[in-house]
């Protein structure tokens, strides 16, 4: 292990690092940290708290990982940060542990691309294959679904949810939930259509995209209440079983949209 550790790095003897972990100059790693094989910790990074990091992650210089929540209710409880595999974190990213007022854990899954100056607050849950562009700021308890893209300089209100395969434009302000598959932008953030280009890149068929466009119209263009829109989407599920899984993704999201969804 010593051959991969820069001599200026400070690593607590209690930390658990795979022998293949690389630690750069002046990085600091605390006692309750576990780091998996192939992960690289860049210069001047701080990794502390009760933090578990999986395989093949890369942290660029000056990241702050596992810091305590920026929440006045936090009283030093042993809450956690859990990071999966193959994520990239660029310069000055900050990731905080959870709070006991929620599940006590912040989670980031696999294959995410997190750009410079992003802040992921306490109790956030980030799926896989997401992109958080430069200076995205996530308040506490935010959920981001798989394959979502959040544009640079976007602020997300605490407890908001961003659905799978959605995309928000840069400099947006999210105060409510953004449904899956939706393209959105603005301050306040508003829906502007279906994320068609993103869906094509991920192998969605023309029939899939057509069905999701119809679903978007049901939710946003027909003047229906959310309950009525959900009922019509369920009816479409029965009539079009080939796209039922995608409609179920929408329904599952809408069923727990406690903050309400973004509106035109």
């Amino acid at each position: 292990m010593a051959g991969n550790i820069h001599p200026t790095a400070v690593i607590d003897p209690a930390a658990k690092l795979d022998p293949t972990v690389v630690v750069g100059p002046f990085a600091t790693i605390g006692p309750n940290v576990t780091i998996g094989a192939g992960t690289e910790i860049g210069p001047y990074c701080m990794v502390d708290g009760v933090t578990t990091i999986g395989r093949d992650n890369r942290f660029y210089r000056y990241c702050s990982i596992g810091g305590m929540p920026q929440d006045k209710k936090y009283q030093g409880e042993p809450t956690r940060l859990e990071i999966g595999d193959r994520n990239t974190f660029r310069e000055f990213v900050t990731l905080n542990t959870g709070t006991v007022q929620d599940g006590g854990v912040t989670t980031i899954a696999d294959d995410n691309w997190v750009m410079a100056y992003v802040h992921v607050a306490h109790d956030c849950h980030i799926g896989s294959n997401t992109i958080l562009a430069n200076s995205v700021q996530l308040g506490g308890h935010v959920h981001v679904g798989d394959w979502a893209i959040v544009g640079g300089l976007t602020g997300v209100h605490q407890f908001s949810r961003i659905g799978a395969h959605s995309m928000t434009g840069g400099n947006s302000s999210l105060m409510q939930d953004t449904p899956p598959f939706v393209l959105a932008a603005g301050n306040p953030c508003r829906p502007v259509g279906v994320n068609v280009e993103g869906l094509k890149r991920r192998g969605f068929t023309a029939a899939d995209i057509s069905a999701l466009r119809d679903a978007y119209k049901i939710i946003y263009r027909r003047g229906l209440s959310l309950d009525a829109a959900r009922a019509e989407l369920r009816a479409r599920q029965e009539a079009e079983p080939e796209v039922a899984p995608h409609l179920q993704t929408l329904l599952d999201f809408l069923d727990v949209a406690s903050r309400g969804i973004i509106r035109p």
Side-chain angles (χ1 to χ4, degrees), residues 182-183 191-194 211-221:
V182 166
L183 188 66
V192 294
V194 174
L212 290 170
R213 278 175 157 159
D214 289 342
Y216 180 91
K217 292 174 184 176
I218 290 169
I219 297 169
Y220 285 118
R221 300 285 178 83

Side-chain angles (χ1 to χ4, degrees), residues 83-254:
I83 300 172
D85 302 331
R86 299 176 303 278
N87 298 287
T88 296
F89 302 94
R90 294 303 302 254
E91 295 81 358
F92 296 98
V93 166
T94 58
L95 312 176
N96 292 164
T97 58
T99 65
V100 295
Q101 286 74 31
D102 199 329
V105 60
T106 302
T107 62
I108 298 175
D110 305 323
D111 300 297
N112 297 291
W113 183 258
V114 182
M115 297 187 192
Y117 294 95
V118 167
H119 174 63
V120 178
H122 57 86
D123 304 293
C124 287
H125 298 285
I126 313 299
S128 295
N129 298 290
T130 70
I131 298 174
L132 305 181
N134 293 305
S135 297
V136 165
Q137 305 293 296
L138 303 185
H141 316 277
V142 168
H143 289 225
V144 181
D146 295 345
W147 296 100
I149 299 174
V150 184
L153 296 168
T154 291
V156 184
H157 192 281
Q158 61 182 356
F159 292 100
S160 295
R161 297 162 63 249
I162 299 173
H165 298 282
S166 63
M167 179 176 180
T168 64
N171 206 30
S172 295
S173 176
L174 275 70
M175 306 296 287
Q176 293 180 295
D177 294 351
T178 302
F181 312 110
V182 166
L183 188 66
N187 184 1
C189 196
R190 302 183 186 279
V192 294
V194 174
N195 184 18
V196 172
E197 189 59 36
L199 297 179
K200 287 179 179 177
R201 293 178 181 179
R202 293 167 209 141
F204 281 65
T205 67
D208 294 335
I209 293 171
S210 178
L212 290 170
R213 278 175 157 159
D214 289 342
Y216 180 91
K217 292 174 184 176
I218 290 169
I219 297 169
Y220 285 118
R221 300 285 178 83
R222 298 265 300 276
L224 300 174
S225 68
L226 195 54
D227 286 342
R230 286 198 294 253
E232 184 154 343
L233 289 172
R234 291 190 180 96
R236 288 291 182 97
Q237 274 189 301
E238 296 178 5
E240 303 176 62
E242 66 278 6
V243 295
H246 303 318
L247 297 180
Q248 189 61 52
T249 298
L250 266 174
L251 285 165
D252 289 344
F253 187 94
L254 296 175

